[in-house]
Amino acid sequence: MDPTGLDLPPLMAAFVFGLLGGAHCIGMCGGIMSALSFAVPPSMRHPARLTGLMLGYNLGRVSSHMIAGALAAGLGTLVGGVAGELRLALQVLAATMLILMALYIANWWKGLLHVEAVGRRLWRHLEPLGRRLMPVVKVPQAVALGAVWGWLPCGLVYSMLAWSLAMSDPLRGASLMGAFGLGTLPALLATGFAARGLGNLIRHPATRTIAATLIIAFAVWQLWNLWPASPSPAHH
């Protein structure tokens, strides 16, 4: 048994969801990555420095996601402790949010935009902190800015936080969000380094459709496993 209590399948699934959500990440955060790259003075814009800055931004971003995951899972622990019957409701909510995330990725329905509006109040207070860190020329600055950026309102992140909430364990919630954050790295690094070929592939409608279908299938499987087993004939 794994002493950490971390199940590999959910972490792998979260990582894959990060990869599959790359199209949305490029659309929402790709511009930020490109702007941060070009904000570096030309005399300092060499590959080694840019690589360090790009990794620094994402280290800070993923760290914030992990903190949010731990907080959400901690809240789930409190809720489950007060009313144990709500645990099933949290698990259904998590699967439902995954379906909404899939619809969002595929551009089939944008209902998650309403969920993003919830986080905009917090973002209004954090955005000025990020502006004070620019222009970024050192890795510690990049990490700090990434940590602020990690709280940017995002429907995909909120969907994963709903899953963390159902985990009801801060360590598991943080690990889940960390795996998801690592999955988003390829898409964001592609935009940061202007890798247009990979970016176009991730944004392609067919890629979005495949990604959404896989996420919906996983969510339906989760809901199916939550469905109570039918009583056997011996109990009639």
Side-chain angles (χ1 to χ4, degrees):
M1 180 181 294
D2 185 355
T4 65
L6 300 177
D7 298 321
L8 186 58
L11 296 182
M12 290 180 62
F15 177 79
V16 172
F17 291 164
L19 287 174
L20 298 179
H24 173 76
C25 292
I26 289 178
M28 186 168 188
C29 298
I32 298 175
M33 287 292 288
S34 298
L36 293 173
S37 299
F38 287 107
V40 178
S43 60
M44 306 175 68
R45 203 180 297 162
H46 50 81
R49 180 178 291 275
L50 285 179
T51 299
L53 294 179
M54 294 298 109
L55 293 177
Y57 294 134
N58 286 284
L59 173 62
R61 178 180 62 86
V62 175
S63 296
S64 288
H65 290 344
M66 293 179 70
I67 292 172
L71 293 174
L75 177 60
T77 302
L78 293 176
V79 172
V82 174
E85 64 273 11
L86 289 180
R87 181 170 177 78
L88 177 61
L90 293 178
Q91 292 172 323
V92 172
L93 172 64
T96 302
M97 289 294 290
L98 289 178
I99 294 175
L100 296 182
M101 179 174 78
L103 299 177
Y104 193 22
I105 289 173
N107 284 328
W108 292 336
W109 189 61
K110 295 291 188 179
L112 274 186
L113 288 175
H114 300 295
V115 180
E116 288 182 0
V118 176
R120 288 176 189 159
R121 292 184 180 180
L122 174 63
W123 181 244
R124 281 199 294 265
H125 297 287
L126 293 177
E127 186 179 14
L129 297 177
R131 290 179 180 175
R132 293 173 191 169
L133 293 167
M134 298 181 68
V136 177
V137 294
K138 297 180 180 180
V139 172
Q141 279 181 284
V143 175
L145 182 56
V148 175
W149 174 17
W151 298 96
L152 181 74
C154 174
L156 264 65
V157 172
Y158 294 162
S159 297
M160 296 305 298
L161 285 177
W163 195 6
S164 297
L165 184 70
M167 285 285 182
S168 297
D169 181 295
L171 180 58
R172 289 165 63 89
S175 299
L176 190 80
M177 293 303 297
F180 170 75
L182 290 177
T184 64
L185 276 180
L188 291 178
L189 291 177
T191 57
F193 291 111
R196 294 183 180 178
L198 178 59
N200 290 336
L201 174 63
I202 293 173
R203 287 194 298 265
H204 195 280
T207 305
R208 287 173 175 262
T209 299
I210 293 172
T213 302
L214 291 174
I215 294 174
I216 290 173
F218 178 84
V220 170
W221 176 70
Q222 291 280 78
L223 290 172
W224 177 262
N225 286 334
L226 295 175
W227 194 264
S230 57
S232 62
H235 293 125
H236 287 291

